[in-house]
mmCIF file of all heavy atoms in Angstrom:
data_model
loop_
_atom_site.group_PDB
_atom_site.id
_atom_site.type_symbol
_atom_site.label_atom_id
_atom_site.label_comp_id
_atom_site.label_asym_id
_atom_site.label_seq_id
_atom_site.Cartn_x
_atom_site.Cartn_y
_atom_site.Cartn_z
ATOM 1 N N ALA V 64 29.867 22.434 43.238
ATOM 2 C CA ALA V 64 29.225 21.149 43.557
ATOM 3 C C ALA V 64 28.909 20.390 42.276
ATOM 4 O O ALA V 64 29.152 19.177 42.185
ATOM 5 C CB ALA V 64 27.959 21.378 44.375
ATOM 6 N N LYS V 65 28.410 21.091 41.282
ATOM 7 C CA LYS V 65 28.087 20.453 40.002
ATOM 8 C C LYS V 65 29.343 19.951 39.310
ATOM 9 O O LYS V 65 29.351 18.863 38.722
ATOM 10 C CB LYS V 65 27.310 21.422 39.117
ATOM 11 C CG LYS V 65 25.919 21.701 39.664
ATOM 12 C CD LYS V 65 25.199 22.749 38.852
ATOM 13 C CE LYS V 65 23.837 23.041 39.473
ATOM 14 N NZ LYS V 65 23.132 24.106 38.781
ATOM 15 N N PHE V 66 30.421 20.738 39.369
ATOM 16 C CA PHE V 66 31.699 20.323 38.794
ATOM 17 C C PHE V 66 32.196 19.048 39.478
ATOM 18 O O PHE V 66 32.610 18.095 38.811
ATOM 19 C CB PHE V 66 32.728 21.446 38.949
ATOM 20 C CG PHE V 66 34.091 21.108 38.410
ATOM 21 C CD1 PHE V 66 34.429 21.388 37.096
ATOM 22 C CD2 PHE V 66 35.048 20.509 39.227
ATOM 23 C CE1 PHE V 66 35.694 21.069 36.598
ATOM 24 C CE2 PHE V 66 36.301 20.193 38.740
ATOM 25 C CZ PHE V 66 36.623 20.479 37.423
ATOM 26 N N LEU V 67 32.163 19.023 40.809
ATOM 27 C CA LEU V 67 32.627 17.857 41.563
ATOM 28 C C LEU V 67 31.794 16.614 41.240
ATOM 29 O O LEU V 67 32.352 15.524 41.094
ATOM 30 C CB LEU V 67 32.603 18.145 43.064
ATOM 31 C CG LEU V 67 33.682 19.098 43.574
ATOM 32 C CD1 LEU V 67 33.359 19.564 44.986
ATOM 33 C CD2 LEU V 67 35.048 18.452 43.521
ATOM 34 N N ASP V 68 30.493 16.787 41.110
ATOM 35 C CA ASP V 68 29.625 15.655 40.768
ATOM 36 C C ASP V 68 29.966 15.094 39.397
ATOM 37 O O ASP V 68 29.951 13.882 39.188
ATOM 38 C CB ASP V 68 28.147 16.067 40.792
ATOM 39 C CG ASP V 68 27.606 16.260 42.199
ATOM 40 O OD1 ASP V 68 28.260 15.795 43.165
ATOM 41 O OD2 ASP V 68 26.539 16.875 42.332
ATOM 42 N N LYS V 69 30.276 15.972 38.472
ATOM 43 C CA LYS V 69 30.530 15.562 37.086
ATOM 44 C C LYS V 69 31.965 15.077 36.863
ATOM 45 O O LYS V 69 32.193 14.084 36.181
ATOM 46 C CB LYS V 69 30.234 16.740 36.157
ATOM 47 C CG LYS V 69 30.254 16.412 34.692
ATOM 48 C CD LYS V 69 29.806 17.617 33.876
ATOM 49 C CE LYS V 69 29.763 17.284 32.400
ATOM 50 N NZ LYS V 69 29.338 18.425 31.612
ATOM 51 N N ARG V 70 32.944 15.774 37.463
ATOM 52 C CA ARG V 70 34.345 15.504 37.143
ATOM 53 C C ARG V 70 35.205 15.086 38.325
ATOM 54 O O ARG V 70 36.338 14.663 38.149
ATOM 55 C CB ARG V 70 34.964 16.746 36.511
ATOM 56 C CG ARG V 70 34.299 17.109 35.200
ATOM 57 C CD ARG V 70 35.130 18.106 34.440
ATOM 58 N NE ARG V 70 34.523 18.376 33.156
ATOM 59 C CZ ARG V 70 33.932 19.513 32.842
ATOM 60 N NH1 ARG V 70 33.877 20.490 33.714
ATOM 61 N NH2 ARG V 70 33.399 19.677 31.650
ATOM 62 N N GLY V 71 34.726 15.289 39.531
ATOM 63 C CA GLY V 71 35.540 14.993 40.699
ATOM 64 C C GLY V 71 36.507 16.130 40.996
ATOM 65 O O GLY V 71 36.487 17.176 40.360
ATOM 66 N N GLU V 72 37.353 15.904 41.988
ATOM 67 C CA GLU V 72 38.303 16.940 42.385
ATOM 68 C C GLU V 72 39.336 17.172 41.291
ATOM 69 O O GLU V 72 39.710 16.253 40.570
ATOM 70 C CB GLU V 72 39.022 16.526 43.675
ATOM 71 C CG GLU V 72 38.113 16.483 44.880
ATOM 72 C CD GLU V 72 38.850 16.127 46.146
ATOM 73 O OE1 GLU V 72 39.432 15.027 46.199
ATOM 74 O OE2 GLU V 72 38.857 16.958 47.074
ATOM 75 N N GLY V 73 39.801 18.412 41.204
ATOM 76 C CA GLY V 73 40.851 18.718 40.242
ATOM 77 C C GLY V 73 40.799 20.150 39.777
ATOM 78 O O GLY V 73 40.036 20.974 40.304
ATOM 79 N N VAL V 74 41.615 20.454 38.773
ATOM 80 C CA VAL V 74 41.700 21.821 38.258
ATOM 81 C C VAL V 74 40.333 22.236 37.713
ATOM 82 O O VAL V 74 39.739 21.541 36.888
ATOM 83 C CB VAL V 74 42.791 21.956 37.173
ATOM 84 C CG1 VAL V 74 42.781 23.350 36.559
ATOM 85 C CG2 VAL V 74 44.162 21.653 37.760
ATOM 86 N N HIS V 75 39.849 23.348 38.199
ATOM 87 C CA HIS V 75 38.547 23.878 37.805
ATOM 88 C C HIS V 75 38.696 25.006 36.791
ATOM 89 O O HIS V 75 37.960 25.070 35.814
ATOM 90 C CB HIS V 75 37.810 24.374 39.053
ATOM 91 C CG HIS V 75 36.481 24.985 38.765
ATOM 92 N ND1 HIS V 75 36.291 26.348 38.705
ATOM 93 C CD2 HIS V 75 35.274 24.416 38.510
ATOM 94 C CE1 HIS V 75 35.025 26.597 38.435
ATOM 95 N NE2 HIS V 75 34.378 25.447 38.315
ATOM 96 N N HIS V 76 39.644 25.926 37.016
ATOM 97 C CA HIS V 76 39.825 27.050 36.099
ATOM 98 C C HIS V 76 41.227 27.628 36.210
ATOM 99 O O HIS V 76 41.945 27.374 37.167
ATOM 100 C CB HIS V 76 38.785 28.148 36.354
ATOM 101 C CG HIS V 76 38.929 28.843 37.682
ATOM 102 N ND1 HIS V 76 38.328 28.372 38.837
ATOM 103 C CD2 HIS V 76 39.598 29.962 38.046
ATOM 104 C CE1 HIS V 76 38.618 29.187 39.841
ATOM 105 N NE2 HIS V 76 39.398 30.165 39.387
ATOM 106 N N ILE V 77 41.574 28.418 35.191
ATOM 107 C CA ILE V 77 42.797 29.207 35.222
ATOM 108 C C ILE V 77 42.366 30.668 35.162
ATOM 109 O O ILE V 77 41.476 31.021 34.384
ATOM 110 C CB ILE V 77 43.760 28.853 34.072
ATOM 111 C CG1 ILE V 77 45.052 29.652 34.179
ATOM 112 C CG2 ILE V 77 43.112 29.039 32.713
ATOM 113 C CD1 ILE V 77 46.158 29.184 33.256
ATOM 114 N N ALA V 78 42.952 31.473 36.028
ATOM 115 C CA ALA V 78 42.597 32.892 36.096
ATOM 116 C C ALA V 78 43.764 33.745 35.631
ATOM 117 O O ALA V 78 44.896 33.544 36.056
ATOM 118 C CB ALA V 78 42.212 33.270 37.526
ATOM 119 N N PHE V 79 43.436 34.674 34.761
ATOM 120 C CA PHE V 79 44.432 35.625 34.277
ATOM 121 C C PHE V 79 44.145 36.984 34.894
ATOM 122 O O PHE V 79 43.008 37.473 34.838
ATOM 123 C CB PHE V 79 44.390 35.736 32.751
ATOM 124 C CG PHE V 79 44.814 34.481 32.051
ATOM 125 C CD1 PHE V 79 43.883 33.625 31.501
ATOM 126 C CD2 PHE V 79 46.156 34.144 31.963
ATOM 127 C CE1 PHE V 79 44.263 32.462 30.861
ATOM 128 C CE2 PHE V 79 46.560 32.976 31.323
ATOM 129 C CZ PHE V 79 45.609 32.138 30.780
ATOM 130 N N GLY V 80 45.167 37.583 35.483
ATOM 131 C CA GLY V 80 45.046 38.927 36.025
ATOM 132 C C GLY V 80 45.188 39.940 34.904
ATOM 133 O O GLY V 80 46.073 39.811 34.061
ATOM 134 N N VAL V 81 44.290 40.913 34.878
ATOM 135 C CA VAL V 81 44.312 41.950 33.852
ATOM 136 C C VAL V 81 44.271 43.321 34.524
ATOM 137 O O VAL V 81 43.794 43.460 35.643
ATOM 138 C CB VAL V 81 43.134 41.797 32.860
ATOM 139 C CG1 VAL V 81 43.219 40.462 32.131
ATOM 140 C CG2 VAL V 81 41.789 41.932 33.542
#
Side-chain angles (χ1 to χ4, degrees):
K65 292 175 183 176
F66 179 90
L67 287 166
D68 286 344
K69 189 174 182 180
R70 297 194 176 109
E72 292 182 300
V74 175
H75 178 260
H76 67 272
I77 183 169
F79 293 102
V81 298

